[in-house]
């Protein structure tokens, strides 16, 4: 993806048998740029960038912010922030979650999309924004489905009610998302989730994966636009956009990881960063692994954080 997101629990202890946080990630030539993450280590979410080699914080972009993504030029950040206004409930308050734009230095903060109320009696929300490569539009999830809007606040539109978080392809012509569909089996009708793509110009959609094992949440495009990384019920996979062939990356993990979130490709497409829980000590860390086969997963940081993007400098 060109930009991404998610939520998680805080991890402190590093998984046994894996490098500790701060250890250089294998393949230094692939560890360029900066990884944008939602950091929960302080108890409240913050949007920060990490050094892909050391896992150290490079810069804090926004406090009390989550699911944030930098614009293609890096001058503006879009993120989700909880509103302070109480929405009275039978028990206590609910708080809307709005889509906010601000300069990467914190200036010129404004609400681009106020939280949208779902049909159920729940707090209004929008979630999981992603920038178009030209920086003119943002796609995001809402109770109405997958929407987009121009950054000047015009052109708000529901692209499909049958989709959630969307991610623009590197050329901006296609949006990938996870969609739930129903299918017939010998035992009756069942439902499953797969990766789909939408042509931005025609709004035509096409199913890419067919394993029915995708987890809802954002996906990520490889820099060459040929593969999509997504979370599965069992771990992490990539799917070839042209052929639909899938690769289960967790098959080469020596330590079983669960609760995978926020996969993002490195700028050269050779590595994928993601958040996961180690089942040995049940701590959540941010990992980096090979993008081709999932090999050599290493801890980048044991702080509670979920990647939303991996950008070049």
């Amino acid at each position: 993806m060109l930009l991404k997101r998610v939520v998680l629990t805080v991890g402190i202890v590093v998984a046994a048998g894996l490098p500790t946080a701060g250890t250089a990630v294998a393949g230094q030539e692939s560890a360029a740029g900066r990884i944008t993450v939602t950091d929960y280590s302080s108890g409240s979410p913050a949007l920060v960038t990490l050094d892909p080699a050391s896992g150290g914080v490079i810069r804090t972009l926004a406090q009390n912010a989550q699911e944030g993504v930098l614009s293609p030029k890096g001058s503006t950040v879009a993120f989700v922030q909880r509103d302070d206004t109480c929405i009275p409930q039978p028990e206590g308050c609910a708080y809307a979650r709005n889509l906010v734009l601000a300069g990467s230095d914190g200036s010129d903060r404004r609400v681009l999309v106020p939280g949208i109320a779902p049909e159920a009696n729940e707090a209004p929300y929008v979630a999981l924004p992603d920038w178009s490569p030209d920086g003119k539009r943002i796609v995001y999830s809402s109770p109405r489905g997958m929407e987009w809007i121009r950054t000047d606040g015009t052109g708000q539109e529901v692209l499909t009610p049958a989709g959630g978080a969307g991610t623009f392809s590197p050329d901006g012509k296609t949006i990938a998302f996870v969609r739930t569909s129903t299918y017939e089996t010998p035992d009756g009708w069942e439902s499953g989730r797969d990766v789909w793509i939408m042509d931005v110009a025609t709004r035509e959609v096409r199913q890419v994966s067919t394993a029915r094992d995708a987890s809802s949440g954002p996906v990520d495009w490889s820099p060459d636009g040929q593969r999509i990384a997504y979370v599965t019920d069992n771990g992490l996979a990539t799917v070839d956009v042209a052929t639909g062939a899938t690769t289960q990356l967790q098959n080469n993990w020596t330590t079983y990881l669960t609760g995978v979130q926020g996969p993002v490709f490195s700028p050269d497409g050779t590595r994928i960063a993601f958040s996961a829980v180690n089942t040995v000590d049940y701590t959540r860390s941010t990992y980096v692994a090979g993008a081709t086969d999932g090999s050599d997963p290493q801890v980048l940081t044991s702080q509670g954080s979920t990647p939303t993007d991996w950008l070049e400098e």
Side-chain angles (χ1 to χ4, degrees), residues 246-268:
T246 59
T247 301
Q248 299 293 331
L249 301 184
Q250 74 275 357
N251 289 346
N252 287 316
W253 294 349
T254 56
T255 300
Y256 184 66
L257 305 175
T258 188
V260 177
Q261 297 174 342
V264 293
F265 278 95
S266 62
D268 66 1

Side-chain angles (χ1 to χ4, degrees), residues 228-247:
I228 295 173
Y230 66 101
V231 177
T232 72
D233 295 335
N234 297 313
L236 181 63
T238 60
V239 59
D240 186 285
V241 177
T243 68
T246 59
T247 301

Side-chain angles (χ1 to χ4, degrees), residues 6-32:
V6 183
V7 281
L8 48 132
T9 56
V10 177
I12 301 296
V13 183
V14 175
L18 290 169
T20 58
T23 302
V25 171
Q28 289 297 308
E29 69 280 357
S30 300

Side-chain angles (χ1 to χ4, degrees), residues 1 15 45 69 89 95 113 130 132-133 204 208 212 232 271 291-292:
M1 150 177 177
V69 284
Q89 301 290 304
Y95 298 90
V113 182
D130 187 47
S132 62
E204 293 181 355
V208 179
R212 303 187 181 108
T232 72
R271 310 285 286 172
T292 302

